[in-house]
Amino acid sequence: MSSTQVTGAAPQRMTEAEFRSLYDRLRAQVPWGPDDRRGALNYITPAEVRAACGQVRLGRTVSLAAPVEDWATADNPDPAQHQMKEPLGADAGPGLAFSMDRIAMNIHGNADTHIDALCHVIFDGQLYHGVPAETVTETGAAELSIAVVGGGAPDRGPGQ
């Protein structure tokens, strides 16, 4: 419980100078070289994965699935749009046919789960490790995209 919750006092705002000082201090503590593109994913080593596997006791899986919210709420003002594409069941003729789902959605906010990529935060025109912000375009990110976890990111859950 934070002191704000205990006392009911409003949190104190950080000045820009204080933020920049904190930013520079934290940035200087990154333990990986200037060419790093994985950030904290570097902590998930083969030894960590083996240790996580050793924690299995019951062999149960836990789903992280959640419904795709297609209705507007305060934390989801631009909800997902779901459509079934033709042929729909009533339109299918004889032989084999396939219907397809089409989902258009923002994948950030409180309405869904996601892993943020290092290309999502831009500060003073730079991404993580000084990568130029221009590497992020309407067609995607040339660097620091979520593709770095394409092989998976297994690890122990929080509090383990």
Side-chain angles (χ1 to χ4, degrees), residues 73-147:
T73 61
D75 64 346
N76 189 24
D78 187 14
Q81 299 168 20
H82 177 230
Q83 295 174 302
M84 292 301 294
K85 300 304 273 183
E86 296 182 7
L88 302 177
D91 301 327
L96 184 62
F98 296 91
S99 293
M100 295 184 291
D101 287 272
R102 180 181 183 284
I103 295 179
M105 65 185 291
N106 292 320
I107 55 170
H108 292 88
N110 297 325
D112 55 71
T113 61
H114 63 282
I115 299 175
D116 266 321
L118 293 173
C119 63
H120 289 182
V121 177
I122 302 169
F123 183 68
D124 283 348
Q126 295 183 343
L127 307 171
Y128 175 75
H129 261 325
V131 172
E134 290 78 22
T135 62
V136 179
T137 68
E138 63 188 25
T139 60
E143 290 199 55
L144 304 174
S145 78
I146 199 61

Side-chain angles (χ1 to χ4, degrees), residues 1-31:
M1 185 175 281
S2 73
S3 61
T4 301
Q5 291 171 320
V6 173
T7 65
Q12 194 172 13
R13 284 190 66 93
M14 184 179 282
T15 66
E16 181 177 345
E18 290 169 330
F19 175 83
R20 287 180 180 280
S21 174
L22 176 63
Y23 175 82
D24 291 339
R25 191 173 76 235
L26 293 174
R27 190 170 169 200
Q29 293 177 12
V30 174

